[in-house]
Amino acid sequence: MSAPNVTTGLLAAIGVIFVWSGFIVFSRAGVTSGLTAYDVAALRFIVAGALTAPFMLAWWPRDLPLKIQILLALCGPGALYSALMFAGLAEASAAYGGVFANGSLPIFTILIVLATTGALPGRMQLVATAVIVAGGIMVGWRGMSAGGADVAIGVALFLVASAVISAYIIAIKAWSVTPRQALAIVNIPNALIFLPIWWFALPSTMADADTLTVAWQAAFQGLGPGFLALILFAMCAYHLGPAVTAAFSAVVPATAALLAIPVLGEMPTPLEWAGIAVVSAGLGLMVRAR
């Protein structure tokens, strides 16, 4: 790969925001339109796996140690992350998921980097992280106040999901994983593991769902989170570093709230608008720190 370039990294980070915001909003639209959450995940792995399979041998990162290959396959945005998110959403609201799974990414990234390298974050980075987390809580406050079947369990699952993705972001930077390698190491193992489990053991309503809904979810989930997001994550982590990548990912609850206006017809409350502004300010501070 070429030398790190801030402009390239920022463009990739903006792409991450759009794709991951779409993942939250369009996944919600999918599971409220006749598909189960497992169907939505299956469509993603079917399309992304099929697109990646012809290039698996050429793109597979053979130069990486086996333990790093396993780490990337497990901690990437694949089956484990999806299972943690789906299980968490069964116990707590989506607002909790946005705040704790995405908003906590900068915190876990800082902690993992500190534990593995001893590198301390700068003062501006800490301030920016605190501002982003505070704004995320403001955005999710209304949904969080609604509670869930067992909020504590849901929050714990969301935090584990956040830690998993943080480890992935740090690993792809530390080992200079290319976008093509990221596609192979995440999509193929997760497709091989998840799809048989979904086919034989998980509830599915795909046969009864509207054809256009299935086609749209297959196209978006497979090409967006399953393909494009992996490329953008790798580019962002390489060019900007894991801390800034995590900060941009933490903005997703706010941008998802904006995307939900035209897609779901959900208008933010004044507090949520304020939270979006706070998150934007925190992101500006993080980019300035970088």
Side-chain angles (χ1 to χ4, degrees):
M1 296 178 69
S2 59
N5 181 279
V6 173
T7 301
T8 301
L10 289 175
L11 291 175
I14 293 171
V16 168
I17 290 176
F18 278 105
V19 173
W20 225 242
S21 299
F23 167 72
I24 292 177
V25 173
F26 291 124
S27 294
R28 181 176 177 184
V31 298
T32 57
S33 302
L35 294 171
T36 68
Y38 307 109
D39 292 334
V40 174
L43 289 170
R44 168 187 167 184
F45 291 124
I46 290 171
V47 174
L51 290 173
T52 309
F55 309 100
M56 183 187 72
L57 294 179
W59 292 355
W60 193 268
R62 298 181 184 84
D63 56 316
L64 296 181
L66 179 59
K67 63 180 181 180
I68 301 301
Q69 295 183 33
I70 295 173
L71 173 68
L72 292 170
L74 286 177
C75 294
L80 176 59
Y81 177 80
S82 298
L84 290 167
M85 289 299 295
F86 293 153
L89 290 170
E91 305 294 343
S93 69
Y96 277 102
V99 172
F100 288 98
N102 291 93
S104 62
L105 276 171
I107 299 174
F108 278 112
T109 301
I110 290 173
L111 292 176
I112 294 174
V113 169
L114 179 62
T116 56
T117 68
L120 294 171
R123 181 179 300 176
M124 181 72 78
Q125 184 179 341
L126 289 175
V127 171
T129 297
V131 171
I132 290 172
V133 172
I137 292 174
M138 293 170 67
V139 172
W141 185 261
R142 178 177 57 168
M144 290 168 61
S145 63
D150 195 330
V151 172
I153 293 177
V155 168
L157 290 167
F158 293 141
L159 290 175
V160 174
S162 179
V164 164
I165 288 294
S166 296
Y168 170 76
I169 293 172
I170 292 169
I172 58 178
K173 169 62 177 177
W175 293 91
S176 299
V177 178
T178 68
R180 292 186 297 180
Q181 290 174 331
L183 288 170
I185 200 71
V186 174
N187 282 337
I188 298 303
N190 282 280
L192 292 175
I193 293 171
F194 180 80
L195 290 177
I197 296 175
W198 166 73
W199 183 264
F200 291 107
L202 297 177
S204 173
T205 56
M206 192 179 298
D208 301 321
D210 178 72
T211 303
L212 289 178
T213 297
V214 174
W216 164 249
Q217 290 293 331
F220 176 78
Q221 299 291 343
L223 297 175
F227 206 84
L228 186 57
L230 293 174
I231 296 174
L232 295 172
F233 262 123
M235 292 177 61
C236 187
Y238 176 77
H239 290 288
L240 296 181
V244 180
T245 301
F248 271 92
S249 301
V251 174
V252 166
T255 52
L258 293 176
L259 184 60
I261 298 174
V263 176
L264 301 174
E266 298 179 352
M267 183 63 65
T269 65
L271 179 62
E272 289 167 345
W273 280 117
I276 291 170
V278 171
V279 166
S280 300
L283 182 59
L285 291 173
M286 181 65 77
V287 172
R288 184 178 178 182
R290 170 64 178 82

